[in-house]
Amino acid sequence: MLRQLQHNERLALILSRYVSSTTNKTHSPREGAGLRGYQSDSAPQILLSQQDKEAEELIRGYRHWGYRHANTSPFGTGNPTSPLTEILSNSSDSELRRVLDSLYCGGIGVQYMHIPDTDKQNFITELIENRPVLSQEELVKVTETLIRSENLDNFLANKYSNLKQYGGQGAEGTIAFCELLFNLCPRNKVEDVVIAIAHRGRISLLTELLQLPYLRLLKKYGGDSEFHPDERSIGDVLSHLWQSVDLEQSDGGSVHVSLLPNPSHLEVANSVALGKVRAKQRLKKSSPHYGESRNSPLALLIHGDAAFTGQGISLENAMMSKLPGYSSNGSIHLITNNLIGFTAQHGAQSSSFTAGDIGRMYDVPVISVNGLDMNAIYQAVVMAIEWRTRYQEDIIIDLQCYRLHGHNQHDEPRFTNPLMYNVVDKLSPLQDRVVTDLLSRNVVPEDFVQTVISEQNAELTTAHKTCADYTPPRMCFTGNWDHVTQAGSDLTTWQTGYEVEDLRCIGVKSTELPEGFKHHPTLNRAHIVKRTKMMESGSGIDWAMGEALAFGSLLLQGYNVRLSGEDVSRGTFSNRHVTMYDQDTGAPYTPLNYLQAEQTAKLEAVDSLLSEEGVVGFEYGYSLEDPNSLVLWEAQFGDFFNPAQVMFDQFVVSGEAKWVLQTGLVTLLPHGYDGNGPDHTSARLERWLQLSDSKECTPDTDDVNVQVANCTTPAQYFHLLRRQMIRPFRKPLVLMSPKALLRSPDAVSDITDFGPGTTFQRVIGDTTTDPNLVKRVLICSGKHYYTLRNKRDSLQDNSTAIIRVEELCPFPSSELQKELNKYPGADMFWAQEESRNSGAWSFVNPRVKSILGHELSYAGRTECAAAAVGISKLHAKEAQDILNQAFSHVI
């Protein structure tokens, strides 16, 4: 086990006995694994003296608590205390202490004895006590990369001193970790790596490891677009650039690395990376969830210390990591720990001992590493990739380093951290330390550093002079996306109907269960028999059945479907039951996955953990990787999208505009004023419309950033979902989905509404009134249509026409104009159940006025600070008042 003590046979036996006594399993030791060769069934039985027992206690103490005494901080260890302190005070074995100090308290400290699995504990012990050796060739290569990284930061700071820089000076160990990890990926059967990283050190990672051309970088620094002219984009700032590249490794293997774009909202890109990796694993069938566990894509999540401990999404991602519906087979978390959070001192940003202590919550190793110790960094890389390869679980690396400058290099860090920066001023960076060692051993020539810098400066100078004439190559719509384009300048209609007999078959099979499957008795009448009757009669098709027909038809066409959220398999309102559970065994069964023999496309319905931000980011990332999967996220109630607002703002609705990365993510938000109070009522329709780039004065086209719909029939919902996949471009869809309408006998469709030649109708006119008799036109959207129609029927009113706007964005100006032209001289109202400062009023009114030339009046609730009132009598009064407004001409 401890090579340094192999000459001491008695101590070797003690160590072997200690390991043997703490394991329930045996496995082959690593090659060259010292005393790990002793196994429990062959360990000699010896009597332990008091000295031997003290040695055993000392070993145990170092393994449990050595990390608290490790020399992992560039600023020194201070005076740490732990249970090991008392054990050391009672130990006189200086030789054993020296060896254990070097293993457990050197440049690397490992928390792993909290893991309740002795096989895993022993595996980590073996990795700690048998250190890997970095080859001289690799050491020189990595050192050259670090020299170039530092020099690039200096070049950019000098040439573009007016721009904010987020250089990696002081944290070059992050670059070293990444390069060493990429080298080890092929031999660990990792062919794909997806990286999420914030701003610090990002530029160096992009250029020095991921081969982003200096020409493209400096063109961006000069104020030009980073994209090809044919790729329409508003661009993003320098610290958010992305890259995708194949890296050839020295052993002949290769690894594809994707660095995701990121917003300035720290940590949020990590969920996106996890979703993208999950989709890659499905496409490659390289996950236990989709096939064999080989060549598994890897998520490398690079965090800041303050952000990792401070942002709640870190916990959400951790809790997803081992769930069947969200696992990505283990991620490597690398914390670039500057030991400072913006200006907050180290002790003011976290209540934990290390930045990675969240790992203790879900039983994964936490490795603290001195960012100025190359050997420790390499040992951490080997531990990380070997752990992930063996156990397919997360591992956290806390790379403790420093930040040479202030937050953006224009800041003065000494305002708030003078003592820290007194020490920083005296520190030499990682590459300088390695170069000193290499020179002392005559491994590199004296002019090694200057040669590297001179060669790089020549490249940078040439790129700086010629970048203005450089045209960036096309980066987007390749690989999985090679059949996808950006949307055009028209508002198009797509034939989304499906063969009726095939739909009948899908409907029947959506409730077929295997022989012996014991379903819940309530489902027989309310679900199975009901659906069978719908298909037999071809009428009364409700919302859930319309959705099942959309899912089933897409599956038969080869499109996968992924639906996630809280309660999605059953449905929040017990309406869906896309997956049913055997009442005796609890086994799940999804009938839509068995529509035909050897069906390749699958429906994955995932009941999520109680998370919105992390799950939405995950599903967005999944949709980025696979345009041939319909990806849906459903909120339990419409207003529950709020915790995920940053994901929608920074990724879903703006990602294509900034990064030319499309998503077809469908967001289902149950919406409707049913008397449920301020919460559980509104999906905040107004916010989604405000997030859109819909034009107020000119007609919209397909090329809006987000589609917002509030449709009224199951057939319309069916066509919307199918349209997401049929078109040659992808746009996010936000749907105000129903609650009361799910079982309403009014909100049903006939089978012919789904058949060939049918399509989604952005506007549905009124076919029940005589235009010559109409004095008032009510324009509305969603559930409110049925309230208005029922009121009109009760009044026996034939003077009011009701027009439904089924899709609000892109705004259907031409379709709406066609309907309004039928009623010249009639009063025109926008009718809504939301309050005046909510809903679609502020969006529809200016467009109707400026594009269509009509003046609208308002019929709806008055302004309200909350989404809805919580007093039932007041709710009832409001409901009556808005109907009185709408029908004031006949009441």
Side-chain angles (χ1 to χ4, degrees), residues 825-836:
D827 296 331
M828 295 183 182
F829 278 69
W830 174 259
Q832 65 179 38
E833 57 180 354
E834 298 89 355
S835 56
R836 191 179 184 114

PDB file of all heavy atoms in Angstrom, residues 825-836:
ATOM      1  N   GLY A 825     -67.494  48.486 -39.282  1.00  0.00           N
ATOM      2  CA  GLY A 825     -68.381  49.306 -38.468  1.00  0.00           C
ATOM      3  C   GLY A 825     -68.663  48.751 -37.090  1.00  0.00           C
ATOM      4  O   GLY A 825     -69.263  49.444 -36.249  1.00  0.00           O
ATOM      5  N   ALA A 826     -68.257  47.531 -36.790  1.00  0.00           N
ATOM      6  CA  ALA A 826     -68.515  46.958 -35.467  1.00  0.00           C
ATOM      7  C   ALA A 826     -67.508  47.488 -34.450  1.00  0.00           C
ATOM      8  O   ALA A 826     -66.363  47.815 -34.786  1.00  0.00           O
ATOM      9  CB  ALA A 826     -68.426  45.439 -35.537  1.00  0.00           C
ATOM     10  N   ASP A 827     -67.958  47.571 -33.186  1.00  0.00           N
ATOM     11  CA  ASP A 827     -67.037  47.901 -32.106  1.00  0.00           C
ATOM     12  C   ASP A 827     -66.094  46.708 -31.891  1.00  0.00           C
ATOM     13  O   ASP A 827     -66.519  45.554 -31.982  1.00  0.00           O
ATOM     14  CB  ASP A 827     -67.789  48.176 -30.801  1.00  0.00           C
ATOM     15  CG  ASP A 827     -68.692  49.401 -30.912  1.00  0.00           C
ATOM     16  OD1 ASP A 827     -68.365  50.298 -31.701  1.00  0.00           O
ATOM     17  OD2 ASP A 827     -69.705  49.437 -30.196  1.00  0.00           O
ATOM     18  N   MET A 828     -64.852  47.018 -31.571  1.00  0.00           N
ATOM     19  CA  MET A 828     -63.877  45.945 -31.393  1.00  0.00           C
ATOM     20  C   MET A 828     -63.264  46.017 -30.004  1.00  0.00           C
ATOM     21  O   MET A 828     -62.783  47.063 -29.583  1.00  0.00           O
ATOM     22  CB  MET A 828     -62.795  46.017 -32.474  1.00  0.00           C
ATOM     23  CG  MET A 828     -63.358  45.761 -33.867  1.00  0.00           C
ATOM     24  SD  MET A 828     -62.108  45.741 -35.145  1.00  0.00           S
ATOM     25  CE  MET A 828     -63.146  45.475 -36.600  1.00  0.00           C
ATOM     26  N   PHE A 829     -63.306  44.890 -29.315  1.00  0.00           N
ATOM     27  CA  PHE A 829     -62.796  44.780 -27.954  1.00  0.00           C
ATOM     28  C   PHE A 829     -61.761  43.658 -27.871  1.00  0.00           C
ATOM     29  O   PHE A 829     -61.890  42.637 -28.544  1.00  0.00           O
ATOM     30  CB  PHE A 829     -63.936  44.446 -26.972  1.00  0.00           C
ATOM     31  CG  PHE A 829     -64.738  45.624 -26.521  1.00  0.00           C
ATOM     32  CD1 PHE A 829     -65.571  46.304 -27.403  1.00  0.00           C
ATOM     33  CD2 PHE A 829     -64.678  46.049 -25.204  1.00  0.00           C
ATOM     34  CE1 PHE A 829     -66.326  47.376 -26.980  1.00  0.00           C
ATOM     35  CE2 PHE A 829     -65.431  47.115 -24.764  1.00  0.00           C
ATOM     36  CZ  PHE A 829     -66.267  47.789 -25.654  1.00  0.00           C
ATOM     37  N   TRP A 830     -60.758  43.892 -27.036  1.00  0.00           N
ATOM     38  CA  TRP A 830     -59.916  42.777 -26.597  1.00  0.00           C
ATOM     39  C   TRP A 830     -60.457  42.321 -25.252  1.00  0.00           C
ATOM     40  O   TRP A 830     -60.567  43.111 -24.310  1.00  0.00           O
ATOM     41  CB  TRP A 830     -58.449  43.181 -26.455  1.00  0.00           C
ATOM     42  CG  TRP A 830     -57.622  42.062 -25.863  1.00  0.00           C
ATOM     43  CD1 TRP A 830     -57.194  41.945 -24.578  1.00  0.00           C
ATOM     44  CD2 TRP A 830     -57.178  40.883 -26.543  1.00  0.00           C
ATOM     45  NE1 TRP A 830     -56.493  40.776 -24.409  1.00  0.00           N
ATOM     46  CE2 TRP A 830     -56.472  40.100 -25.596  1.00  0.00           C
ATOM     47  CE3 TRP A 830     -57.300  40.412 -27.849  1.00  0.00           C
ATOM     48  CZ2 TRP A 830     -55.901  38.870 -25.910  1.00  0.00           C
ATOM     49  CZ3 TRP A 830     -56.729  39.189 -28.172  1.00  0.00           C
ATOM     50  CH2 TRP A 830     -56.031  38.430 -27.216  1.00  0.00           C
ATOM     51  N   ALA A 831     -60.813  41.059 -25.152  1.00  0.00           N
ATOM     52  CA  ALA A 831     -61.394  40.512 -23.929  1.00  0.00           C
ATOM     53  C   ALA A 831     -60.418  39.506 -23.318  1.00  0.00           C
ATOM     54  O   ALA A 831     -59.940  38.599 -24.000  1.00  0.00           O
ATOM     55  CB  ALA A 831     -62.728  39.838 -24.229  1.00  0.00           C
ATOM     56  N   GLN A 832     -60.135  39.661 -22.035  1.00  0.00           N
ATOM     57  CA  GLN A 832     -59.236  38.738 -21.355  1.00  0.00           C
ATOM     58  C   GLN A 832     -59.666  38.558 -19.912  1.00  0.00           C
ATOM     59  O   GLN A 832     -60.364  39.408 -19.338  1.00  0.00           O
ATOM     60  CB  GLN A 832     -57.785  39.230 -21.407  1.00  0.00           C
ATOM     61  CG  GLN A 832     -57.522  40.536 -20.648  1.00  0.00           C
ATOM     62  CD  GLN A 832     -56.063  40.964 -20.708  1.00  0.00           C
ATOM     63  OE1 GLN A 832     -55.395  40.810 -21.715  1.00  0.00           O
ATOM     64  NE2 GLN A 832     -55.557  41.499 -19.608  1.00  0.00           N
ATOM     65  N   GLU A 833     -59.272  37.458 -19.315  1.00  0.00           N
ATOM     66  CA  GLU A 833     -59.599  37.211 -17.911  1.00  0.00           C
ATOM     67  C   GLU A 833     -58.521  37.746 -16.990  1.00  0.00           C
ATOM     68  O   GLU A 833     -58.741  37.900 -15.791  1.00  0.00           O
ATOM     69  CB  GLU A 833     -59.825  35.722 -17.662  1.00  0.00           C
ATOM     70  CG  GLU A 833     -58.669  34.824 -18.037  1.00  0.00           C
ATOM     71  CD  GLU A 833     -58.961  33.349 -17.759  1.00  0.00           C
ATOM     72  OE1 GLU A 833     -60.028  33.064 -17.177  1.00  0.00           O
ATOM     73  OE2 GLU A 833     -58.136  32.502 -18.124  1.00  0.00           O
ATOM     74  N   GLU A 834     -57.347  38.055 -17.531  1.00  0.00           N
ATOM     75  CA  GLU A 834     -56.267  38.591 -16.715  1.00  0.00           C
ATOM     76  C   GLU A 834     -56.526  40.056 -16.379  1.00  0.00           C
ATOM     77  O   GLU A 834     -57.373  40.718 -16.968  1.00  0.00           O
ATOM     78  CB  GLU A 834     -54.934  38.463 -17.460  1.00  0.00           C
ATOM     79  CG  GLU A 834     -54.516  37.040 -17.784  1.00  0.00           C
ATOM     80  CD  GLU A 834     -55.044  36.536 -19.115  1.00  0.00           C
ATOM     81  OE1 GLU A 834     -55.841  37.280 -19.753  1.00  0.00           O
ATOM     82  OE2 GLU A 834     -54.681  35.418 -19.528  1.00  0.00           O
ATOM     83  N   SER A 835     -55.745  40.586 -15.437  1.00  0.00           N
ATOM     84  CA  SER A 835     -55.841  42.005 -15.104  1.00  0.00           C
ATOM     85  C   SER A 835     -55.235  42.840 -16.224  1.00  0.00           C
ATOM     86  O   SER A 835     -54.488  42.347 -17.067  1.00  0.00           O
ATOM     87  CB  SER A 835     -55.126  42.286 -13.779  1.00  0.00           C
ATOM     88  OG  SER A 835     -53.786  41.852 -13.837  1.00  0.00           O
ATOM     89  N   ARG A 836     -55.554  44.125 -16.213  1.00  0.00           N
ATOM     90  CA  ARG A 836     -55.166  44.993 -17.331  1.00  0.00           C
ATOM     91  C   ARG A 836     -53.657  45.087 -17.493  1.00  0.00           C
ATOM     92  O   ARG A 836     -53.151  45.217 -18.611  1.00  0.00           O
ATOM     93  CB  ARG A 836     -55.767  46.393 -17.127  1.00  0.00           C
ATOM     94  CG  ARG A 836     -55.647  47.301 -18.346  1.00  0.00           C
ATOM     95  CD  ARG A 836     -56.273  48.663 -18.109  1.00  0.00           C
ATOM     96  NE  ARG A 836     -56.225  49.476 -19.320  1.00  0.00           N
ATOM     97  CZ  ARG A 836     -57.265  49.879 -20.014  1.00  0.00           C
ATOM     98  NH1 ARG A 836     -58.486  49.541 -19.616  1.00  0.00           N
ATOM     99  NH2 ARG A 836     -57.130  50.617 -21.098  1.00  0.00           N
TER     100      ARG A 836
END
